[in-house]
Short mmCIF file of all heavy atoms in Angstrom, two decimals:
data_model
loop_
_atom_site.label_atom_id
_atom_site.label_comp_id
_atom_site.label_asym_id
_atom_site.label_seq_id
_atom_site.Cartn_x
_atom_site.Cartn_y
_atom_site.Cartn_z
N SER A 75 -13.08 7.19 -9.00
CA SER A 75 -12.86 6.71 -7.62
C SER A 75 -12.88 7.90 -6.66
O SER A 75 -12.67 9.06 -7.07
CB SER A 75 -11.57 5.95 -7.50
OG SER A 75 -10.46 6.80 -7.68
N GLY A 76 -13.12 7.60 -5.40
CA GLY A 76 -13.11 8.64 -4.39
C GLY A 76 -13.89 8.24 -3.18
O GLY A 76 -14.20 7.06 -2.97
N VAL A 77 -14.25 9.25 -2.35
CA VAL A 77 -14.94 9.00 -1.08
C VAL A 77 -16.08 9.99 -0.97
O VAL A 77 -15.92 11.17 -1.23
CB VAL A 77 -13.94 9.17 0.10
CG1 VAL A 77 -14.65 9.06 1.42
CG2 VAL A 77 -12.81 8.17 0.00
N VAL A 78 -17.23 9.48 -0.52
CA VAL A 78 -18.40 10.33 -0.22
C VAL A 78 -18.93 9.88 1.14
O VAL A 78 -18.65 8.77 1.61
CB VAL A 78 -19.53 10.20 -1.29
CG1 VAL A 78 -19.04 10.75 -2.63
CG2 VAL A 78 -19.99 8.80 -1.45
N ASP A 79 -19.73 10.74 1.81
CA ASP A 79 -20.39 10.37 3.03
C ASP A 79 -21.86 10.07 2.79
O ASP A 79 -22.52 10.82 2.11
CB ASP A 79 -20.27 11.49 4.09
CG ASP A 79 -18.85 11.54 4.66
OD1 ASP A 79 -18.22 10.53 4.76
OD2 ASP A 79 -18.46 12.67 5.03
N VAL A 80 -22.32 8.98 3.38
CA VAL A 80 -23.75 8.56 3.18
C VAL A 80 -24.35 8.40 4.59
O VAL A 80 -23.80 7.72 5.45
CB VAL A 80 -23.84 7.21 2.44
CG1 VAL A 80 -25.30 6.78 2.32
CG2 VAL A 80 -23.23 7.35 1.05
N ASP A 81 -25.48 9.06 4.84
CA ASP A 81 -26.20 8.98 6.09
C ASP A 81 -27.57 8.35 5.83
O ASP A 81 -28.50 9.05 5.44
CB ASP A 81 -26.35 10.40 6.70
CG ASP A 81 -26.98 10.37 8.08
OD1 ASP A 81 -27.16 9.27 8.65
OD2 ASP A 81 -27.26 11.47 8.58
N PRO A 82 -27.70 7.04 6.07
CA PRO A 82 -29.00 6.39 5.83
C PRO A 82 -30.00 6.77 6.91
O PRO A 82 -29.64 7.06 8.04
CB PRO A 82 -28.66 4.90 5.90
CG PRO A 82 -27.49 4.84 6.79
CD PRO A 82 -26.70 6.10 6.54
N ALA A 83 -31.26 6.77 6.55
CA ALA A 83 -32.33 7.05 7.50
C ALA A 83 -32.45 5.94 8.54
O ALA A 83 -32.75 6.18 9.69
CB ALA A 83 -33.67 7.23 6.78
N ALA A 84 -32.15 4.69 8.13
CA ALA A 84 -32.20 3.52 9.02
C ALA A 84 -31.36 2.42 8.38
O ALA A 84 -31.03 2.49 7.18
CB ALA A 84 -33.64 3.05 9.20
N ALA A 85 -31.01 1.44 9.17
CA ALA A 85 -30.27 0.30 8.61
C ALA A 85 -31.16 -0.38 7.57
O ALA A 85 -32.36 -0.48 7.75
CB ALA A 85 -29.91 -0.67 9.72
N GLY A 86 -30.57 -0.79 6.45
CA GLY A 86 -31.34 -1.46 5.43
C GLY A 86 -30.87 -1.08 4.06
O GLY A 86 -29.78 -0.54 3.84
N THR A 87 -31.74 -1.29 3.06
CA THR A 87 -31.41 -1.01 1.65
C THR A 87 -31.34 0.48 1.38
O THR A 87 -32.24 1.24 1.82
CB THR A 87 -32.49 -1.66 0.75
OG1 THR A 87 -32.52 -3.06 1.03
CG2 THR A 87 -32.17 -1.44 -0.72
N ILE A 88 -30.30 0.90 0.67
CA ILE A 88 -30.15 2.29 0.32
C ILE A 88 -29.89 2.43 -1.18
O ILE A 88 -29.53 1.46 -1.85
CB ILE A 88 -28.97 2.96 1.10
CG1 ILE A 88 -27.62 2.26 0.76
CG2 ILE A 88 -29.20 2.93 2.56
CD1 ILE A 88 -26.75 3.05 -0.18
N GLU A 89 -30.12 3.64 -1.69
CA GLU A 89 -29.72 3.95 -3.06
C GLU A 89 -29.37 5.44 -3.16
O GLU A 89 -30.11 6.30 -2.65
CB GLU A 89 -30.82 3.63 -4.08
CG GLU A 89 -30.36 3.90 -5.50
CD GLU A 89 -31.42 3.64 -6.57
OE1 GLU A 89 -32.22 2.70 -6.39
OE2 GLU A 89 -31.45 4.36 -7.56
N VAL A 90 -28.23 5.72 -3.78
CA VAL A 90 -27.76 7.09 -4.02
C VAL A 90 -27.41 7.19 -5.49
O VAL A 90 -26.71 6.34 -6.03
CB VAL A 90 -26.51 7.41 -3.16
CG1 VAL A 90 -25.97 8.79 -3.49
CG2 VAL A 90 -26.84 7.30 -1.66
N GLY A 91 -27.86 8.27 -6.17
CA GLY A 91 -27.52 8.50 -7.56
C GLY A 91 -26.20 9.27 -7.63
O GLY A 91 -25.98 10.22 -6.90
N ILE A 92 -25.30 8.86 -8.53
CA ILE A 92 -24.01 9.50 -8.73
C ILE A 92 -23.93 9.99 -10.20
O ILE A 92 -23.80 9.18 -11.11
CB ILE A 92 -22.83 8.53 -8.46
CG1 ILE A 92 -22.96 7.90 -7.07
CG2 ILE A 92 -21.50 9.26 -8.61
CD1 ILE A 92 -21.95 6.80 -6.82
N PRO A 93 -23.99 11.30 -10.41
CA PRO A 93 -23.84 11.83 -11.77
C PRO A 93 -22.44 11.51 -12.35
O PRO A 93 -21.48 11.32 -11.61
CB PRO A 93 -23.99 13.34 -11.57
CG PRO A 93 -24.77 13.48 -10.32
CD PRO A 93 -24.30 12.36 -9.44
N LEU A 94 -22.37 11.47 -13.66
CA LEU A 94 -21.14 11.09 -14.37
C LEU A 94 -20.24 12.28 -14.67
O LEU A 94 -20.75 13.37 -14.95
CB LEU A 94 -21.51 10.40 -15.69
CG LEU A 94 -22.46 9.21 -15.60
CD1 LEU A 94 -22.83 8.74 -16.98
CD2 LEU A 94 -21.84 8.11 -14.79
N PRO A 95 -18.94 12.11 -14.68
CA PRO A 95 -18.04 13.22 -15.05
C PRO A 95 -18.05 13.47 -16.57
O PRO A 95 -17.82 14.58 -17.02
CB PRO A 95 -16.66 12.74 -14.60
CG PRO A 95 -16.74 11.25 -14.60
CD PRO A 95 -18.18 10.95 -14.23
N VAL A 96 -18.30 12.40 -17.36
CA VAL A 96 -18.39 12.48 -18.80
C VAL A 96 -19.70 11.81 -19.19
O VAL A 96 -19.94 10.65 -18.84
CB VAL A 96 -17.22 11.77 -19.53
CG1 VAL A 96 -17.36 11.88 -21.01
CG2 VAL A 96 -15.88 12.34 -19.04
N ALA A 97 -20.59 12.53 -19.86
CA ALA A 97 -21.94 12.01 -20.18
C ALA A 97 -21.91 10.73 -20.97
O ALA A 97 -21.02 10.49 -21.79
CB ALA A 97 -22.73 13.08 -20.93
N SER A 98 -22.90 9.85 -20.69
CA SER A 98 -23.08 8.60 -21.42
C SER A 98 -24.57 8.33 -21.48
O SER A 98 -25.32 8.74 -20.59
CB SER A 98 -22.36 7.46 -20.74
OG SER A 98 -22.46 6.27 -21.51
N ALA A 99 -25.02 7.63 -22.51
CA ALA A 99 -26.45 7.29 -22.65
C ALA A 99 -26.59 5.82 -22.29
O ALA A 99 -26.58 4.93 -23.15
CB ALA A 99 -26.89 7.55 -24.07
N PHE A 100 -26.74 5.52 -21.00
CA PHE A 100 -26.93 4.16 -20.55
C PHE A 100 -28.22 3.55 -21.06
O PHE A 100 -29.23 4.23 -21.16
CB PHE A 100 -26.92 4.08 -19.01
CG PHE A 100 -25.61 4.43 -18.36
CD1 PHE A 100 -25.60 5.02 -17.11
CD2 PHE A 100 -24.39 4.17 -18.97
CE1 PHE A 100 -24.38 5.32 -16.47
CE2 PHE A 100 -23.19 4.47 -18.36
CZ PHE A 100 -23.19 5.06 -17.10
N THR A 101 -28.20 2.26 -21.36
CA THR A 101 -29.38 1.56 -21.79
C THR A 101 -29.76 0.39 -20.89
O THR A 101 -30.90 0.02 -20.81
CB THR A 101 -29.25 1.03 -23.25
OG1 THR A 101 -28.09 0.20 -23.32
CG2 THR A 101 -29.10 2.19 -24.21
N ILE A 102 -28.76 -0.18 -20.18
CA ILE A 102 -29.02 -1.29 -19.26
C ILE A 102 -28.15 -1.12 -18.00
O ILE A 102 -27.16 -0.39 -18.00
CB ILE A 102 -28.75 -2.67 -19.90
CG1 ILE A 102 -27.30 -2.74 -20.43
CG2 ILE A 102 -29.74 -2.94 -21.03
CD1 ILE A 102 -26.95 -4.10 -20.97
N ALA A 103 -28.51 -1.83 -16.94
CA ALA A 103 -27.83 -1.71 -15.64
C ALA A 103 -26.34 -2.06 -15.74
O ALA A 103 -25.54 -1.49 -14.99
CB ALA A 103 -28.50 -2.60 -14.61
N THR A 104 -25.95 -2.93 -16.63
CA THR A 104 -24.56 -3.36 -16.72
C THR A 104 -23.67 -2.40 -17.54
O THR A 104 -22.49 -2.68 -17.74
CB THR A 104 -24.46 -4.76 -17.29
OG1 THR A 104 -25.10 -4.80 -18.57
CG2 THR A 104 -25.08 -5.78 -16.36
N ASP A 105 -24.24 -1.26 -17.98
CA ASP A 105 -23.43 -0.25 -18.67
C ASP A 105 -22.41 0.42 -17.73
O ASP A 105 -21.49 1.09 -18.19
CB ASP A 105 -24.29 0.81 -19.31
CG ASP A 105 -24.98 0.32 -20.59
OD1 ASP A 105 -24.52 -0.69 -21.15
OD2 ASP A 105 -25.92 0.98 -21.03
N CYS A 106 -22.58 0.28 -16.46
CA CYS A 106 -21.67 0.80 -15.44
C CYS A 106 -21.51 -0.26 -14.38
O CYS A 106 -22.47 -0.96 -14.01
CB CYS A 106 -22.23 2.08 -14.82
SG CYS A 106 -21.30 2.66 -13.40
N GLY A 107 -20.32 -0.43 -13.86
CA GLY A 107 -20.09 -1.43 -12.81
C GLY A 107 -19.05 -0.98 -11.84
O GLY A 107 -18.07 -0.31 -12.22
N GLY A 108 -19.23 -1.31 -10.57
CA GLY A 108 -18.24 -0.94 -9.60
C GLY A 108 -18.59 -1.46 -8.22
O GLY A 108 -19.53 -2.23 -8.03
N THR A 109 -17.82 -1.00 -7.25
CA THR A 109 -17.98 -1.46 -5.88
C THR A 109 -17.79 -0.29 -4.93
O THR A 109 -17.31 0.76 -5.29
CB THR A 109 -17.00 -2.61 -5.59
OG1 THR A 109 -17.33 -3.20 -4.33
CG2 THR A 109 -15.58 -2.11 -5.59
N ALA A 110 -18.21 -0.53 -3.69
CA ALA A 110 -18.07 0.51 -2.65
C ALA A 110 -17.86 -0.19 -1.30
O ALA A 110 -18.26 -1.33 -1.11
CB ALA A 110 -19.31 1.39 -2.60
N GLY A 111 -17.25 0.49 -0.39
CA GLY A 111 -17.05 -0.01 0.94
C GLY A 111 -17.16 1.06 2.00
O GLY A 111 -16.85 2.23 1.71
N GLN A 112 -17.64 0.71 3.20
CA GLN A 112 -17.80 1.68 4.27
C GLN A 112 -17.08 1.22 5.52
O GLN A 112 -16.96 0.00 5.76
CB GLN A 112 -19.28 1.89 4.59
CG GLN A 112 -20.03 2.61 3.49
CD GLN A 112 -21.42 2.92 3.95
OE1 GLN A 112 -22.11 2.12 4.52
NE2 GLN A 112 -21.84 4.16 3.67
N GLN A 113 -16.68 2.19 6.32
CA GLN A 113 -16.01 1.84 7.54
C GLN A 113 -16.94 1.48 8.67
O GLN A 113 -16.53 0.95 9.70
CB GLN A 113 -15.09 2.99 7.95
CG GLN A 113 -15.83 4.26 8.24
CD GLN A 113 -14.90 5.45 8.44
OE1 GLN A 113 -13.78 5.43 7.97
NE2 GLN A 113 -15.35 6.47 9.15
N ASN A 114 -18.26 1.75 8.53
CA ASN A 114 -19.22 1.48 9.59
C ASN A 114 -19.98 0.18 9.39
O ASN A 114 -21.13 0.04 9.83
CB ASN A 114 -20.21 2.62 9.74
CG ASN A 114 -19.63 3.78 10.48
OD1 ASN A 114 -18.52 3.71 11.02
ND2 ASN A 114 -20.35 4.90 10.51
#
Side-chain angles (χ1 to χ4, degrees):
S75 68
V77 175
V78 296
D79 285 330
V80 177
D81 185 8
T87 302
I88 61 104
E89 183 181 325
V90 176
I92 306 172
L94 306 174
V96 180
S98 184
F100 293 150
T101 56
I102 57 175
T104 56
D105 283 343
C106 171
T109 189
Q112 290 188 316
Q113 62 189 24
N114 282 352

